[in-house]
């Protein structure tokens, strides 16, 4: 009997020590006879010591799989949390009467998690609660990056059982400004020649031409002293000269051509999206493409073209923004054509970039750049005669072509917030249809009357509408 009392006293001291040292609410609880008690919170794999006001003779636990009990004395109970859930602890007196029922709630031990959360994310207003066998996080955090860190840490304590009720404070709507700038230059030069020799009063004649050189239509080459210069679109850059020496008539044809092309394109799509949400933009059209199915029928599929932008912004910390984006500029290429099911289909020229970058609010990044330089030249000549110095130029045709293309894509994100509608200016704010008298009598196509008198729209309306407007490129 003495040994049993010693063993119980030892177990009681160990339980009280462990319960007192446990930071998760695992402390001793005293039960008053006949009093309705609140739920007994027992952390998972931790113990709570329950003391009764009067001695009990019998006790039982409704679900031993949730909590385990053992008696340390006729007034003290040792409760150990085994699995998350709720159960009931019943105490009976020596005369068999009910002393009380205690609701036992076993929850995950979040004391260590709270401590680690304070160490890793100090100063963040994150509240931690338990729900059944999971963890619930709530409160306001300063950035999405810290929210992700809190969720990752919580998943280590309750895998796949974390509920996120946290919100991110601050401004988290992003406007992305994308600028496409492209310049294309093409230079084409060609030189061709032809020579004709005819003896007067004879049917014999000698003629030679280099490459694409051809006589000017309707010219009287061969007549003494003839000179013809033709600059029409079909044979631009041709010059023909005829002269005779004695009874021999000579005709010389030269064709020199130089072409220069310059194309400049600029597109600036702007788009606003909420942090973490995808947004897309298309300014252009759809091109119909016939497709033949297995049964021989023809269906029409549409391919979009124009200015396309798709991006997903994420505000990470303060004004730091992570961007996943796809930007493209496409157009119908009239020089590339294929035939499908009896239909002539044009090809497309497309410049596209897809990337992920990170920058601060208002900063710019050149996410894509292309410098392409194509060079091509060719020489066609009459064998041997074209190799003769100087005079050999009359028997050669030379072509030179060079194409250069420069493309730059620049992005600039901004953190934005909504404003009142009166502060926004529209292109139509300073234009109003004219009356019939203004149109037919005075020739006015628009009038600024009725424009807003205050706000940003009024400032736009005060500007002079005469002259160039829209995107003007000097």
């Amino acid at each position: 009997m003495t040994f049993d009392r010693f063993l119980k006293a030892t177990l009681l001291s160990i339980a009280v020590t462990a319960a007192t040292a446990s930071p998760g609410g695992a402390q001793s609880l005293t039960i008053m006879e006949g009093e309705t008690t609140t739920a007994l919170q027992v952390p998972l794999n931790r113990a709570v010591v329950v003391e009764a006001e009067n001695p009990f003779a019998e006790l039982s636990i409704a679900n031993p799989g949730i909590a385990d009990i053992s008696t340390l004395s006729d007034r003290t109970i040792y409760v150990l949390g085994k699995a998350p859930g709720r159960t009931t602890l019943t105490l009976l007196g020596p005369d068999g009467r009910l002393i009380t029922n205690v609701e036992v709630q076993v929850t995950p031990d979040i004391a260590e998690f709270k401590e680690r959360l304070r160490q890793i994310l100090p100063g963040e207003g994150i509240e931690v609660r338990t729900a059944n066998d999971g963890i619930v996080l709530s409160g306001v955090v300063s950035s999405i990056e810290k929210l992700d860190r809190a969720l990752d840490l919580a998943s280590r304590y309750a895998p796949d059982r974390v509920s996120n009720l946290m919100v991110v404070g601050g401004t988290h709507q992003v406007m992305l400004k994308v600028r496409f700038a492209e310049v294309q230059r093409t230079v084409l030069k060609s030189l061709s020649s032809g020579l004709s020799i005819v003896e007067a009063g004879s049917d014999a004649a000698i003629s030679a031409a280099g490459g694409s050189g051809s006589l000017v239509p309707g010219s009287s080459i061969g007549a003494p002293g003839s000179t013809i210069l033709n600059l029409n679109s079909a044979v631009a850059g041709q010059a023909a000269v005829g002269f005779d020496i004695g009874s021999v008539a000579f005709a010389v044809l030269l064709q020199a051509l130089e072409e220069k092309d310059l194309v400049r394109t600029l597109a600036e799509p702007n788009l606003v999206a909420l942090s973490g949400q995808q947004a897309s933009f298309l300014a252009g059209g759809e091109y119909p493409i016939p497709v033949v199915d297995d049964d021989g029928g023809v269906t029409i599929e549409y391919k979009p073209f124009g200015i396309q932008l798709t991006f997903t912004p994420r505000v990470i910390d303060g004004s730091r923004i992570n961007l996943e984006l796809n930007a493209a500029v496409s157009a119908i290429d009239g020089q590339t054509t294929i035939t499908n099911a009896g239909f002539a289909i044009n090809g497309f020229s497309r410049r596209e970039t897809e990337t992920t970058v990170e920058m601060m609010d208002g900063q710019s990044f050149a996410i894509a750049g292309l410098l392409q330089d194509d060079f091509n030249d060719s020489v066609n000549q009459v064998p041997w005669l074209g190799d003769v110095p100087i005079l050999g130029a009359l028997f050669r045709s030379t072509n030179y072509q060079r194409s250069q293309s420069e493309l730059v894509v620049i992005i600039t994100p901004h953190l934005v917030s909504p404003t009142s509608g009166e502060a926004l200016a529209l292109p139509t704010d300073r234009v109003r249809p004219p009356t019939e008298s203004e149109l037919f009598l005075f020739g006015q196509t628009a009038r600024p009357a009725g424009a807003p008198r205050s706000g940003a729209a009024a400032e736009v309306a005060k500007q002079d509408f005469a002259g160039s407007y829209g995107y003007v490129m000097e």
Side-chain angles (χ1 to χ4, degrees):
M1 193 68 176
T2 305
F3 177 76
D4 292 341
R5 291 182 177 179
F6 175 76
L7 179 60
K8 291 182 179 181
T10 304
L11 291 176
L12 177 60
S13 62
I14 295 175
V16 172
T17 303
T20 305
S22 175
Q27 300 176 355
S28 60
L29 177 68
T30 301
I31 299 176
M32 306 297 292
E33 182 178 358
E35 182 177 330
T36 303
T37 61
T38 59
L40 176 63
Q41 301 288 338
V42 181
L44 183 64
N45 297 325
R46 296 293 183 93
V48 170
V49 175
V50 179
E51 294 182 352
E53 182 183 28
N54 298 320
F56 56 85
E58 185 178 350
L59 73 160
S60 63
I61 191 76
N63 189 347
I66 295 178
D68 192 11
I69 59 174
S70 61
T71 58
L72 302 178
S73 67
D74 57 353
R75 296 172 181 264
T76 309
I77 310 168
Y78 183 81
V79 182
L80 174 66
K82 297 176 62 178
R86 291 176 180 266
T87 186
T88 303
L89 173 64
T90 303
L91 281 74
L92 300 176
D95 55 356
R97 60 185 177 84
L98 176 66
I99 296 179
T100 187
N101 286 323
V102 181
E103 182 181 355
V104 179
Q105 181 179 0
V106 179
T107 60
D109 185 10
I110 59 175
E112 182 182 1
F113 170 62
K114 288 182 177 180
E115 182 180 355
R116 296 293 179 265
L117 196 62
R118 287 193 297 266
Q119 294 175 352
I120 297 176
L121 299 175
E124 296 294 331
I126 301 177
E127 299 179 4
V128 183
R129 298 180 177 88
T130 59
N132 197 6
D133 60 344
I135 296 177
V136 179
L137 301 180
S138 61
V140 180
V141 293
S142 59
S143 66
I144 292 181
E145 183 181 29
K146 294 182 179 179
L147 184 146
D148 292 338
R149 289 182 181 177
L151 292 177
D152 181 67
L153 182 62
S155 64
R156 297 180 180 274
Y157 288 86
D160 301 325
R161 299 190 307 276
V162 179
S163 298
N164 177 27
L165 300 180
M166 296 181 292
V167 295
V168 181
T171 301
H172 297 286
Q173 295 185 104
V174 180
M175 182 187 74
L176 181 64
K177 179 180 180 181
V178 182
R179 288 178 288 172
F180 295 87
E182 182 177 20
V183 176
Q184 296 178 348
R185 293 183 294 267
T186 302
V187 177
L188 174 63
K189 297 180 180 180
S190 63
L191 177 62
S192 302
S193 61
L195 175 64
S196 176
I197 303 175
V198 180
E199 183 180 359
S202 173
D203 294 335
I206 301 175
S207 63
S212 60
S214 60
L215 298 181
V216 178
S219 65
S220 57
I221 291 181
S226 65
T227 301
I228 298 177
L229 178 62
N230 197 324
L231 295 177
N232 62 52
S233 59
V235 286
Q238 284 190 357
V241 178
F243 59 93
D244 59 353
I245 301 176
S247 61
V248 180
F250 295 87
V252 179
L253 173 68
L254 294 177
Q255 179 178 348
L257 180 64
E258 181 178 7
E259 296 181 5
K260 295 181 179 180
D261 296 327
L262 176 62
V263 179
R264 177 181 176 182
T265 59
L266 179 66
E268 295 190 14
N270 297 336
L271 190 60
V272 178
L274 186 66
S275 177
Q277 301 296 318
Q278 186 184 77
S280 60
F281 174 92
L282 172 64
E286 292 185 337
Y287 184 79
I289 299 177
V291 178
V292 181
D293 55 23
D294 297 337
D295 298 332
V298 178
T299 59
I300 301 298
E301 293 184 359
Y302 292 90
K303 178 179 178 61
F305 67 92
I307 303 171
Q308 297 173 275
L309 174 63
T310 302
F311 83 107
T312 303
R314 291 182 177 86
V315 182
I316 299 177
D317 188 4
S319 59
R320 193 153 54 98
I321 304 171
N322 178 280
L323 291 173
E324 296 181 10
L325 62 94
N326 180 286
V329 175
S330 58
I332 299 175
D333 186 2
Q335 298 180 353
T336 304
T337 305
I338 63 173
T339 302
N340 184 16
F343 297 93
I345 304 172
N346 293 106
F348 287 84
S349 61
R350 184 178 180 90
R351 282 80 70 200
E352 180 180 8
T353 178
E354 183 175 0
T355 185
T356 301
V357 294
E358 189 174 295
M359 65 189 74
M360 302 296 289
D361 176 23
Q363 291 183 334
S364 296
F365 220 132
I367 61 171
L370 172 65
L371 176 60
Q372 186 175 356
D373 192 348
D374 296 330
F375 172 80
N376 181 28
D377 61 357
S378 62
V379 176
N380 300 323
Q381 67 180 24
V382 177
W384 302 299
L385 295 179
D387 296 330
V388 177
I390 302 177
L391 294 179
L394 298 176
F395 304 96
R396 287 197 300 266
S397 175
T398 305
N399 293 294
Y400 166 85
Q401 182 175 0
R402 185 174 184 179
S403 300
Q404 292 180 321
S405 176
E406 298 181 36
L407 171 65
V408 176
V409 180
I410 300 175
I411 61 172
T412 305
H414 296 280
L415 291 176
V416 295
S417 58
T419 184
S420 60
E422 292 78 7
L424 300 177
L426 300 176
T428 57
D429 287 339
R430 54 182 179 178
V431 180
R432 204 172 78 173
T435 63
E436 292 184 358
S437 60
E438 291 172 338
L439 177 62
F440 292 104
L441 296 181
F442 302 100
Q444 297 180 358
T445 58
R447 59 172 181 167
R453 297 182 178 180
S454 62
E459 296 298 325
V460 176
K462 295 178 183 178
Q463 300 177 11
D464 185 12
F465 193 69
S468 301
Y469 58 93
Y471 286 98
V472 181
M473 301 173 59
E474 300 294 341

